[in-house]
Amino acid sequence: MSNALASETVDKVTALHVIASTAIWMCWSVLVVLLYALDLGFTIAELFGLLALTGFSAAAFQLLWFGLGERALQPQFIRTTTPLLLLPALGFIYCFSTANYSLFYLQVLAVGCGLGGAQLYVRRYQHFVANQTMGWDLAVTASIGGIGIVLAQIGTPLIALWRGPFPTSAAPAETSISIGTLLGSVRPEQSIWLSNLGWFTALVVVTLLIMNWRRRPQAQRWRSEKSTRRHLLRNPHTWFMTLLYCMAFGSFIGFALAFPLILQFLFGLSREWQAGELVSVMSNDYAPQALTYAWLGPLIGVVSRPLGGGWRTSMVAPE
């Protein structure tokens, strides 16, 4: 007789919260490329620093959720913390509508968006299933956040290039080099409205709040598990698995976050050298554009995780 274990699948509303939160976090993978294309005076090290900062912020928030215990993995907690993402959304609106491109201000926004990355993990006990299907349930749930990565890297450049009805007090910025979208390459001197990102983010969060209000889940009470968490931290296997996870999911999320800027920096510009010195830098308009293809990597990860890590695991699960 097969053992019965709690299902790890989540409901549709919670899945939308996780997808939207992850997309808000991962929009930085595209935003730094757009800032680089606008030639606002940021060095490549400062732009990579923004990516590292939002990554560390997500990790810090996840450690905080770990301290909160089981309640932080539940749908009600995810839905309760999602409104906090209105803060970076309003920050985007103010920053880009007033053309306030301060590095410090962008760093604060990067930290705030890290909250979206902390919501990658959610669990809901809905019903009991045989352990032959638990691997599939776990993998599908883990892939929900990956959908947000793909949507962010496809949608962010399209939203920024759209004039839209959103108000702004600053003139649109113009690119100095070519960039790309899902639809193809965009030549230099193209107008960009970065404030659209803030307005669109706020619209998404408000929509989720309305959905959450119309479908209020029943509150659940959870026991304190401080002793269990202390045991996990003292268990050496926890840190071995952490190291493996850094090489697995950590490399996936790290490449997904930094790969667009790496591609743009390496192939988006044509450099002329003479006697070992850099003479000129020009836009490489005919090179494949980073934002046109970078989303394919996360898409492969989203698709392969349920098939490889879920379906295959369920096949070899014990009876």
Side-chain angles (χ1 to χ4, degrees):
M1 181 178 179
S2 299
N3 296 327
L5 297 174
S7 172
E8 299 285 343
T9 55
V10 296
D11 60 280
K12 294 180 181 179
V13 176
T14 304
L16 291 176
H17 276 259
V18 176
I19 291 172
S21 299
T22 307
I24 293 171
W25 175 47
M26 289 299 296
C27 77
W28 277 95
S29 65
V30 176
L31 181 56
V32 292
V33 176
L34 299 179
L35 293 173
Y36 183 68
L38 294 176
D39 193 18
L40 298 173
F42 298 115
T43 66
I44 193 67
E46 290 172 338
L47 294 177
F48 276 116
L50 290 173
L51 295 179
L53 191 60
T54 194
F56 278 120
S57 173
F61 278 116
Q62 285 185 355
L63 287 176
L64 177 60
W65 292 179
F66 174 79
L68 294 177
E70 184 71 18
R71 66 175 67 90
L73 295 174
Q74 305 309 314
Q76 180 60 24
F77 182 85
I78 299 297
R79 298 179 187 186
T80 303
T81 54
T82 297
L84 294 176
L85 291 172
L86 277 175
L87 296 177
L90 296 176
F92 279 143
I93 294 173
Y94 170 77
C95 177
F96 299 133
S97 294
T98 59
N100 181 12
Y101 300 109
S102 166
L103 177 62
F104 174 76
Y105 201 85
L106 291 174
Q107 290 172 339
V108 173
L109 292 177
V111 172
C113 289
L115 176 64
Q119 305 207 43
L120 273 172
Y121 304 100
V122 62
R123 181 167 66 216
R124 179 169 187 178
Y125 297 116
Q126 288 182 309
H127 54 276
F128 286 89
V129 295
N131 57 5
Q132 281 84 358
T133 63
M134 188 179 65
W136 172 263
D137 291 338
L138 286 168
V140 170
T141 300
S143 295
I144 290 175
I147 297 174
I149 301 175
V150 178
L151 292 179
Q153 295 190 343
I154 292 177
T156 300
L158 295 175
I159 294 171
L161 290 169
W162 177 44
R163 174 60 185 89
F166 306 117
T168 179
S169 58
E174 291 188 352
T175 60
S176 60
I177 60 175
S178 295
I179 59 175
T181 68
L182 178 66
L183 305 178
S185 179
V186 178
R187 294 298 180 88
E189 300 182 358
Q190 172 67 43
S191 296
I192 288 183
W193 291 268
L194 291 179
S195 59
N196 286 356
L197 302 178
W199 288 110
F200 191 80
T201 299
L203 180 61
V204 170
V205 174
V206 170
T207 302
L208 291 174
L209 289 178
I210 295 174
M211 295 176 64
N212 190 29
W213 176 76
R214 296 182 60 182
R215 183 181 177 182
R216 297 180 181 178
Q218 295 181 353
Q220 295 179 342
R221 301 181 62 182
W222 301 98
R223 301 189 308 269
S224 176
E225 301 172 343
K226 294 183 179 180
S227 60
T228 302
R229 295 196 293 274
R230 285 196 297 266
H231 175 73
L232 287 174
L233 292 175
R234 294 171 181 173
N235 191 337
H237 294 285
T238 299
W239 302 105
F240 292 144
M241 294 304 299
T242 299
L243 180 60
L244 290 175
Y245 203 65
C246 287
M247 294 185 289
F249 180 80
S251 61
F252 164 73
I253 202 70
F255 283 132
L257 192 61
F259 199 49
L261 183 58
I262 293 174
L263 288 177
Q264 187 68 37
F265 178 71
L266 292 179
F267 304 107
L269 298 176
S270 178
R271 299 169 178 83
E272 182 180 356
W273 298 80
Q274 290 183 3
E277 295 185 359
L278 183 62
V279 177
S280 63
V281 178
M282 298 175 292
S283 176
N284 194 358
D285 299 337
Y286 299 99
Q289 296 300 322
L291 299 182
T292 304
Y293 301 102
W295 58 273
L296 291 173
L299 178 64
I300 294 174
V302 170
V303 174
S304 62
R305 187 158 190 171
L307 296 179
W311 175 70
R312 183 62 180 172
T313 301
S314 297
M315 289 180 60
V316 299
E319 295 292 334

